[in-house]
Amino acid sequence: MGQRTLHRLSATKISSLTERGYYADGGGLYFRISQYNTRLWAFRYKLAGKAREMGLGAYPDVTLKEARERAEKARKLLHDNIDPIDQRQAARSAMLAAREAALTFEQCAVAYIAMKEPEWKNIKHGEQWRNTLTTYAYPVIGSILVADIDQTHILRILEPIWTTKTETASRLRGRLENILDYATVRGYREGDNPARWRGHLDKILATPSKVAKSEHHAALPYIHIGEFMAQLRQQPGMGARALEFAIITAARSGEVRGATWGEIDMDQAVWIIPDNRMKAGREHRIPLSGTALELLRLLPRIEGREFLFPNSKGTALSDMTLTAVLRRMKQQVTAHGFRSTFRDWAGETTAYPREVIEHALAHQLKDKAEAAYARGTLFDKRRRLMDDWAKYCATVHATASVTPINSARRMAG
């Protein structure tokens, strides 16, 4: 097709056209007026004996000059035996695929957690993932495309907390690595994982075990528990009642906050915590003392609300609710630390065997034979232990101080 056949139309000519039909500019480019009086650009060609027409856009959004440029690109493709329509469709498909793969880190993390959460035994595990990512990762990389995340981003998240909150930072690093691995497998990113430890971040960050400080839970000396419980009973609100119940049952705060009426058997005086709410992933039965039963009887039963200790919206209390109670009481201890208080009291002042005490705390016994024995025979002994503990908690001892206790730090897992 010679140069003399090109550029037959002009802007003036186009503006004067009114009849429906095709008007050739040359080289396969046509100005078209449709039956609906729309004005369009079209490129008409033959390839392998088959006639085809490709739209190049509407006039005047696409000017005469732009239409000629698009037609020229199409002619070059035809010169190389490439169908311009097929080429455009392939490019559009690639663009759509890239758009679908263009997930931000937060979108990718949400998808990963949703996929993996059903296999996690403890519902708290998912909450921990969300909390650490929301606190530390999303502010830095949440809105960044997961394909663009590199080592610099990961270090911006981890370095500020690596030596001050080492355990949290180490767990967070592992979570970042898992999410980025997931993104790679799903095709959202390519290349090495910038959050991997071995052979990568271990060359930059200090080994966690060398810098981590044990995060113990401040515990109240057991000699003061009677006085403390008397003060606690004067505190209003569901948070105070939940803390009171946690102490006299020696349960973890998360187990108490998530407790439902369906788990309580008042007739048998037992609280049955299902395996999916236990740290060890096994059902745990806690014998309820008379004190615990009386506390439950005094709780309001609100129709439609399943939790023993609901918040104002009817959902479970937050972990900070129990902490807030202790702060109001000006106590320098933690809710979890009362498990240490119980452990110290039982170990130092009673004759109950160690396995009875450990089983009361729902600790996993390391010795398999001992663990098998404990599962089958200790419930009655634990009932007596919890009755004795409740009685001890109800007694104010003469040596107790009325001032808040800034206790030694201990831990019960």
Side-chain angles (χ1 to χ4, degrees):
M1 188 173 295
Q3 180 65 30
R4 64 181 181 278
T5 64
L6 299 177
H7 302 174
R8 298 177 185 175
L9 299 174
S10 66
T12 302
K13 174 70 173 176
I14 291 171
S15 63
S16 67
L17 296 172
T18 58
E19 297 293 325
R20 186 176 66 184
Y22 287 84
Y23 300 89
D25 184 58
L29 176 62
Y30 289 83
F31 181 75
R32 177 191 172 198
I33 301 177
S34 75
Q35 59 181 326
Y36 304 107
N37 203 37
T38 55
R39 296 166 173 254
L40 308 165
W41 294 107
F43 180 71
R44 306 176 80 176
Y45 63 97
K46 281 187 177 182
L47 186 64
K50 183 178 180 181
R52 306 200 73 180
E53 179 177 316
M54 181 172 70
L56 298 181
Y59 177 86
D61 292 339
V62 176
T63 65
L64 173 61
K65 179 182 177 182
E66 290 170 336
R68 287 170 175 170
E69 290 172 350
R70 295 180 183 187
E72 178 61 24
K73 291 179 181 179
R75 286 192 292 270
K76 289 181 178 178
L77 290 172
L78 286 170
H79 184 268
D80 295 330
N81 291 317
I82 298 174
D83 191 321
I85 291 179
D86 292 346
Q87 173 78 0
R88 184 166 67 181
Q89 289 175 341
R92 183 175 296 165
S93 296
M95 179 189 68
L96 291 174
R99 185 179 298 168
E100 290 178 359
L103 265 64
T104 65
F105 176 83
E106 183 172 354
Q107 290 172 326
C108 197
V110 169
Y112 176 81
I113 293 172
M115 181 189 69
K116 300 294 288 185
E117 196 163 22
E119 73 182 45
W120 292 335
K121 295 179 180 179
N122 195 329
I123 191 172
K124 188 176 181 180
H125 197 52
E127 294 175 359
Q128 291 170 338
W129 272 68
R130 293 184 185 90
N131 290 340
T132 53
L133 292 171
T134 299
T135 302
Y136 302 107
Y138 294 162
V140 179
I141 62 173
S143 60
I144 296 177
L145 293 180
V146 71
D148 296 335
I149 293 171
D150 58 24
Q151 176 182 294
T152 302
H153 296 119
I154 300 301
L155 290 177
R156 281 177 58 197
I157 296 168
L158 297 178
E159 283 184 323
I161 60 173
W162 193 256
T163 58
T164 58
K165 299 179 179 179
T166 307
E167 183 177 355
T168 297
S170 182
R171 290 178 179 176
L172 175 59
R173 185 211 60 77
R175 289 164 186 167
L176 295 173
E177 182 179 12
N178 284 333
I179 292 167
L180 293 176
D181 276 346
Y182 165 80
T184 300
V185 173
R186 291 301 301 263
Y188 302 143
R189 62 174 284 116
E190 296 178 349
D192 292 335
N193 191 322
R196 70 190 186 281
W197 178 253
R198 192 177 299 277
H200 186 59
L201 291 183
D202 63 344
K203 309 303 180 187
I204 302 173
L205 300 172
T207 303
S209 61
K210 300 292 180 65
V211 297
K213 298 178 182 179
S214 298
E215 297 181 6
H216 296 309
H217 300 276
L220 186 76
Y222 59 80
I223 193 68
H224 300 289
I225 191 65
E227 179 204 15
F228 173 83
M229 292 297 282
Q231 295 175 356
L232 178 60
R233 293 187 190 101
Q234 302 303 312
Q235 296 292 316
M238 277 297 177
R241 300 293 74 76
L243 179 58
E244 185 180 350
F245 189 70
I247 294 171
I248 59 180
T249 58
R252 297 179 177 90
S253 64
E255 295 158 6
V256 171
R257 290 184 291 107
T260 65
W261 287 107
E263 297 172 0
I264 303 295
D265 187 332
M266 298 291 282
D267 294 333
Q268 298 298 318
V270 62
W271 172 21
I272 305 171
I273 310 176
D275 55 7
N276 64 348
R277 291 212 311 108
M278 290 300 300
K279 183 177 180 180
R282 290 200 305 266
E283 179 186 278
H284 183 52
R285 294 172 174 253
I286 297 180
L288 296 174
S289 63
T291 302
L293 289 172
E294 182 62 19
L295 189 157
L296 293 178
R297 290 190 186 100
L298 294 174
L299 290 176
R301 294 291 295 269
I302 304 173
E303 186 176 354
R305 296 189 177 184
E306 59 177 337
F307 293 105
L308 297 185
F309 307 100
N311 61 21
S312 59
K313 297 180 180 178
T315 57
L317 296 173
S318 72
D319 192 35
M320 288 305 298
T321 304
L322 275 62
T323 300
V325 173
L326 291 167
R327 288 177 178 171
R328 287 199 304 269
M329 297 175 69
K330 302 187 185 303
Q331 292 289 343
Q332 302 300 313
V333 294
T334 66
H336 194 87
F338 286 101
R339 285 166 56 82
S340 286
T341 302
F342 168 79
R343 180 66 183 84
D344 292 346
W345 165 81
E348 295 176 16
T349 71
T350 78
Y352 288 100
R354 182 184 69 87
E355 63 269 20
V356 175
I357 301 168
E358 292 300 302
H359 205 61
L361 290 164
H363 283 169
Q364 295 188 65
L365 300 174
K366 295 181 180 179
D367 183 88
K368 292 183 179 180
E370 183 182 34
Y373 172 79
R375 283 195 299 272
T377 65
L378 298 183
F379 189 80
D380 289 341
K381 293 180 180 179
R382 287 197 290 119
R383 183 174 292 284
R384 293 194 293 272
L385 171 62
M386 300 316 294
D387 286 341
D388 289 345
W389 170 240
K391 291 175 184 176
Y392 188 83
C393 288
T395 305
V396 177
H397 298 273
T399 56
S401 169
V402 296
T403 58
I405 309 300
N406 190 354
S407 69
R409 292 183 175 268
R410 306 189 179 182
M411 179 166 180

